[in-house]
Amino acid sequence: MLEHIAGQRSNLIGLLLPLGDRTLVLPNVAVAELIGHRAIACEAGEPQWHLGWVDWRQQRLPLIGFEAACGGQTLCGERARIVVLNALGDTGLRYLAVLLQGIPRSCKLDSQLNYVDVPLAGLELAAVQVGEQVARVPDLAALERLVRDADLQSVAG
């Protein structure tokens, strides 16, 4: 995804999204909004990656723990933030909310991404070198399908 978008221009502004055990990288156009620090009550539900609900712009979005969706453990720390991502559109979803463990940082990406050979989780497309850091490219289409297929029921709070 990054290569396709970055290939259209000589460079692109991306965002590094810190999780508990990895960092994701996305073009900044994939991000609808960063929701600042607020009291986040993370309660693992069924499925394990569903951490609750986020009210955002008159919509109720499921809060996703990306690490748990990849088979790991999602932590909810004091520096937790939520990033609202634009959905790609083939699932009927418009937005996804993902729990972060810090403040995203912007970075410059160019069409010559340096791929890194590391084991990838099921929801990761690639790993790339961004400055001194290895960042993972998430498979947003697969993440959307995971949420859609879970058939989560929004419970009015």
Side-chain angles (χ1 to χ4, degrees):
M1 176 171 73
L2 287 174
E3 189 171 55
H4 173 70
I5 295 170
Q8 296 174 3
R9 301 186 221 164
S10 59
N11 60 44
L12 175 75
I13 301 298
L15 286 174
L16 293 170
L17 307 174
L19 302 180
D21 64 355
R22 70 194 85 188
T23 299
L24 301 180
V25 62
L26 286 172
N28 67 345
V29 296
V31 175
E33 188 172 328
L34 173 68
I35 300 174
H37 183 70
R38 64 163 72 166
I40 301 170
C42 297
E43 297 180 17
E46 283 297 321
Q48 193 71 18
W49 50 263
H50 181 231
L51 303 176
W53 297 93
V54 175
D55 292 320
W56 178 75
R57 296 186 184 181
Q58 291 80 45
Q59 298 178 63
R60 198 151 178 86
L61 307 176
L63 180 59
I64 301 164
F66 188 85
E67 302 95 328
C70 291
Q73 185 74 15
T74 298
L75 302 175
C76 189
E78 291 181 14
R79 297 182 53 185
R81 305 282 194 280
I82 297 170
V83 65
V84 177
L85 302 176
N86 293 308
L88 299 175
D90 67 344
T91 61
L93 299 173
R94 295 182 61 209
Y95 303 99
L96 300 170
V98 176
L99 184 71
L100 302 180
Q101 296 301 320
I103 300 171
R105 293 180 324 189
S106 64
C107 61
K108 288 188 180 184
L109 305 170
D110 62 27
S111 60
Q112 302 301 315
L113 295 171
N114 293 316
Y115 289 89
V116 179
D117 186 20
V118 297
L120 299 174
L123 292 174
E124 296 171 345
L125 296 172
V128 295
Q129 190 75 39
V130 180
E132 299 293 318
Q133 189 167 18
V134 173
R136 313 297 178 108
V137 179
D139 186 343
L140 295 183
L143 187 61
E144 284 180 50
R145 288 190 301 274
L146 180 73
V147 172
R148 178 200 62 201
D149 295 346
D151 194 29
L152 302 171
Q153 300 301 312
S154 176
V155 179

